[in-house]
Amino acid sequence: MTKLRAGIVGAGIAGASCAGTLAAAGWEVDVFDKARGAGGRLSTRRFEQGWATLGTPFVSAKRDPFRSQLRDWVRQGWVSAVRGNVWQGRATISWAEAQLQNHYCPTIEPSQLVRKLLGSARLHTGHRVAALKPRTLVLEDGRELGDFDCVICSVPAPQAIPMLDALPLLRERLAEVRYRPIWSFLMRWDGGPAADVIKFDDHLLNLAVRQPSGGPGLWSVYATHEFSETYLEASEMEASNRAASALMGLLGLPWPVEIEASHLWRHARPENPVGGFWVGDRENRVALIGDGIAGVGVERAWESGLRLAQAILQSKEELAL
Ligand SMILES: Cc1cc2nc3c(=O)[nH]c(=O)nc-3n(C[C@H](O)[C@H](O)[C@H](O)COP(=O)(O)OP(=O)(O)OC[C@H]3O[C@@H](n4cnc5c(N)ncnc54)[C@H](O)[C@@H]3O)c2cc1C
């Protein structure tokens, strides 16, 4: 019997949870991502001394089924509850007392978590998809990959819209979705608060998270949306110098703060997602998932992929009856 086939655009958490669920049910699944690896906003940077993240620092679960997925990751030793101190304003409070409780940090590279979710799905990195057509993916080099039983797109809405000229019903559903940007930086400094997380009460900086790998004193620093919008077209040097000087002022640090990397996430967080878990064009066998549909955060994105895969599997079972 020939296997059913799915083609998925995007190997972030939404695409991976969908791909892994279909692959586990016996589908032949090909996932295409323009990046060099899986992860999307859960991707990592590698250094000689280890790895660090400029994307999502925390994972949290409000409800099942993600809560049990998270418990499973804890059992596997892939994530652990954040137990350090959070420094907020002038006081150091224990994490359990802070508003950020129920937060977990990956203990393995976040991108590896996503990689594991893919299961037996085939990942094609460095493959940018240019357009979607009924049952078909068109790659940037013009190659058309067709005859899929289902084509699924899991990229942020502003990146999906230009791919959807041949599928106007889906394109219209995304028209109102807006994202806000986040500049993030890897910085290294000595001293400062004896904390693992710093929550700033500031209009320029939002959060700093100590990195478990990558050597001593390495932190991921996240700017606010306001900062990120102001510096949207700035160079990396200009944005990171501004962030470093804000940081030193807030923490009273002397020079030098070393800036090791920076990244602008233009599509960091959707403001007005479509709602539900997925939207589909049943006739053309194309569906959209991800946080632009289901709402911001790892939990919602993961669940959107899972729910679509479950709906596809169920509809195929019904057809078979
Ligand atoms: C700085 C930052 C901090 C965050 N903090 C948190 C947090 O603490 N907790 C939390 O729950 N959430 C957080 N989020 C949000 C969370 O990361 C996202 O909601 C979630 O990861 C979205 O997953 P996704 O699979 O929908 O999209 P993505 O992870 O963006 O995956 C989309 C994938 O599609 C690929 N792609 C795009 N275009 C193409 C193309 N044309 N062809 C092929 N591939 C393509 C991309 O390379 C990417 O891998 C944060 C996000 C950012 C940016």
Side-chain angles (χ1 to χ4, degrees):
M1 208 176 83
T2 52
K3 284 189 169 188
L4 293 163
R5 295 175 59 231
I8 301 186
V9 192
I13 191 109
S17 75
C18 190
T21 308
L22 290 175
W27 281 52
E28 198 176 304
V29 184
D30 287 280
V31 183
F32 301 87
D33 202 294
K34 65 180 183 178
R36 276 180 301 177
R41 279 167 274 172
L42 281 151
S43 57
T44 30
R45 295 265 174 131
R46 292 202 179 144
F47 298 89
E48 258 173 46
Q49 298 150 290
W51 55 270
T53 179
L54 281 163
T56 312
F58 304 124
V59 186
S60 52
K62 292 199 177 79
R63 54 183 199 152
D64 271 329
F66 193 58
R67 200 177 276 164
S68 61
Q69 171 73 88
L70 205 48
R71 271 200 297 270
D72 184 50
W73 286 348
V74 171
R75 266 195 302 275
Q76 304 272 6
W78 298 341
V79 301
S80 64
V82 180
R83 297 234 183 274
N85 289 331
V86 58
W87 189 86
Q88 227 162 355
R90 301 278 141 217
T92 304
I93 34 184
S94 78
W95 185 266
E97 293 162 12
Q99 58 176 20
L100 293 168
Q101 58 181 274
N102 180 31
H103 279 53
Y104 292 79
C105 268
T107 46
I108 58 171
E109 287 186 50
S111 54
Q112 289 304 316
L113 273 184
V114 176
R115 193 75 191 73
K116 286 174 191 295
L117 279 179
L118 283 165
S120 59
R122 280 191 297 256
L123 174 63
H124 308 269
T125 56
H127 281 67
R128 182 186 289 270
V129 175
L132 305 186
K133 293 182 182 173
R135 294 178 181 266
T136 304
L137 294 173
V138 185
L139 298 179
E140 196 179 28
D141 61 13
R143 262 185 299 159
E144 294 209 3
L145 310 173
D147 267 348
F148 287 109
D149 294 283
C150 202
V151 166
I152 296 156
C153 182
S154 73
V155 314
Q159 295 175 323
I161 287 172
M163 296 184 204
L164 294 172
D165 286 350
L167 298 154
L169 288 180
L170 290 179
R171 196 184 52 204
E172 267 168 38
R173 299 293 302 276
L174 298 182
E176 301 302 319
V177 184
R178 303 273 175 271
Y179 280 71
R180 297 194 78 183
I182 298 180
W183 265 108
S184 55
F185 310 95
L186 280 179
M187 296 188 187
R188 199 183 290 278
W189 65 82
D190 286 333
D196 292 325
V197 177
I198 301 171
K199 179 83 184 91
F200 298 106
D201 181 14
D202 183 55
H203 67 293
L204 297 176
L205 298 184
N206 177 31
L207 192 71
V209 181
R210 193 188 287 277
Q211 295 300 291
S213 175
L218 186 65
W219 294 73
S220 294
V221 177
Y222 298 89
T224 60
H225 290 309
E226 292 72 19
F227 175 104
S228 307
E229 277 152 2
T230 305
Y231 288 87
L232 200 55
E233 304 308 331
S235 66
E236 287 193 6
M237 188 183 283
E238 189 186 355
S240 49
N241 282 340
R242 182 70 192 94
S245 80
L247 181 87
M248 288 187 308
L250 286 161
L251 298 184
L253 295 174
W255 285 104
V257 166
E258 279 172 50
I259 301 158
E260 304 212 347
S262 50
H263 186 78
L264 171 63
W265 300 94
R266 283 185 184 271
H267 308 115
R269 296 170 71 90
E271 282 245 280
N272 44 353
V274 173
F277 287 111
W278 51 272
V279 291
D281 177 338
R282 191 178 285 264
E283 197 184 324
N284 290 314
R285 312 299 302 166
V286 180
L288 311 176
I289 53 174
D291 68 351
I293 311 293
V296 68
V298 172
E299 177 171 22
R300 297 289 298 176
W302 175 88
E303 195 170 350
S304 79
L306 175 76
R307 298 281 186 190
L308 174 65
Q310 288 172 339
I312 291 169
L313 295 173
Q314 199 172 354
S315 71
K316 282 290 170 192
E317 269 167 33
E318 279 163 11
L319 288 177
L321 287 175

